[in-house]
Amino acid sequence: DVKVTQSSRYLVKRTGEKVFLECVQDMDHENMFWYRQDPGLGLRLIYFSYDVKMKEKGDIPEGYSVSREKKERFSLILESASTNQTSMYLCASSLSGAGYTDTQYFGPGTRLTVL
Amino acid sequence: GESVGLHLPTLSVQEGDNSIINCAYSNSASDYFIWYKQESGKGPQFIIDIRSNMDKRQGQRVTVLLNKTVKHLSLQIAATQPGDSAVYFCAETLDSGYSTLTFGKGTMLLVSP
């Protein structure tokens, strides 16, 4: 089974703090994704990566950055946390197919509260 | 998480009934579709997928139907159980290898014993 793990289930930070959310997958997947999930807005893509050292902006990248130094690890960084970044953050990974898209498998999520 | 279900359409069924959850997708060019289940406080869990060269695919107690003419996807759950209570949402994408998923808002399924 695919396993995607996230470093924290719950996190509380203060406005202005730098926040790191870590995601690790154990299935040698090329693709990794960061989403946030908010009531009424569904899942929104923040950033994704198709390979080590590569990153692509998603739909809502403002206020976030990412790092992918190793294939299995994809980090989401909030440079200066703000209250509107309070949300559930979900990491996902998928295989990279030659001409096809594969299923994304999700981690358990990190519920971040910014005070 | 616990707040995911707010503002969502809700389907309430009795244990043992068959459930049908519908999804209208947005992009007529989409050709790969996935259904996810999300329980309270957990991440989305893959249920079943279908590519556009099929109009029906069956899994264990679940069936996905695809009607590309009207851009409609449905998930049928047979003999629904209380453990099936969750938010279900569909996702669509282009089956090209470098496409991102577009997610529906979801439907909350409530199963009463």
Side-chain angles (χ1 to χ4, degrees):
Chain A
D1 280 352
V2 175
K3 191 166 184 183
V4 180
T5 57
Q6 295 182 228
S7 50
S8 306
R9 292 300 308 275
Y10 299 94
L11 209 53
V12 179
K13 296 292 181 181
R14 297 209 172 270
T15 302
E17 280 192 78
K18 190 168 186 176
V19 182
F20 293 87
L21 302 182
E22 305 285 342
C23 176
V24 177
Q25 49 92 6
D26 67 356
M27 286 303 293
D28 203 35
H29 285 175
E30 291 82 4
N31 307 328
M32 296 188 75
F33 307 82
W34 274 108
Y35 296 88
R36 62 177 285 176
Q37 186 176 34
D38 302 286
L41 297 176
L43 278 157
R44 293 181 291 168
L45 182 62
I46 304 172
Y47 266 98
F48 58 105
S49 168
Y50 288 131
D51 203 348
V52 176
K53 306 252 186 219
M54 292 182 65
K55 60 183 179 183
E56 299 284 343
K57 292 181 179 179
D59 300 320
I60 51 163
E62 296 79 18
Y64 303 94
S65 62
V66 290
S67 172
R68 191 153 180 217
E69 297 296 318
K70 294 184 178 181
K71 189 176 185 180
E72 68 272 16
R73 188 179 297 269
F74 193 34
S75 303
L76 180 69
I77 304 154
L78 287 66
E79 295 289 341
S80 178
S82 63
T83 55
N84 64 11
Q85 292 179 309
T86 292
S87 186
M88 169 73 97
Y89 289 88
L90 290 159
C91 175
S93 73
S94 69
L95 276 173
S96 186
Y100 70 92
T101 301
D102 202 20
T103 304
Q104 290 184 24
Y105 296 91
F106 285 84
T110 296
R111 182 161 293 280
L112 172 67
T113 301
V114 183
L115 302 175
Chain B
E2 62 272 15
S3 59
V4 167
L6 292 178
H7 316 298
L8 294 178
T10 300
L11 175 65
S12 296
V13 301
Q14 294 286 324
E15 182 178 2
D17 287 351
N18 295 331
S19 302
I20 300 176
I21 300 170
N22 297 304
C23 176
Y25 63 91
S26 58
N27 186 351
S28 58
S30 293
D31 50 12
Y32 177 53
F33 306 88
I34 308 169
W35 277 101
Y36 287 95
K37 171 187 180 182
Q38 187 174 22
E39 297 174 271
S40 181
K42 297 184 179 180
Q45 175 188 353
F46 168 81
I47 303 173
I48 192 168
D49 59 0
I50 188 168
R51 288 189 159 84
S52 61
N53 60 349
M54 303 175 72
D55 53 20
K56 180 179 180 179
R57 191 168 187 217
Q58 288 184 288
Q60 189 175 19
R61 280 202 308 121
V62 294
T63 300
V64 55
L65 299 177
L66 174 62
N67 185 332
K68 293 204 73 181
T69 303
V70 295
K71 295 192 291 183
H72 185 266
L73 198 65
S74 69
L75 177 71
Q76 300 178 358
I77 304 173
T80 315
Q81 302 166 0
D84 294 327
S85 294
V87 173
Y88 291 81
F89 50 91
C90 64
E92 61 179 293
T93 189
L94 298 173
D95 197 13
S96 65
Y98 290 103
S99 300
T100 57
L101 294 176
T102 299
F103 292 88
K105 294 290 191 290
T107 297
M108 174 169 277
L109 176 66
L110 296 175
V111 183
S112 305

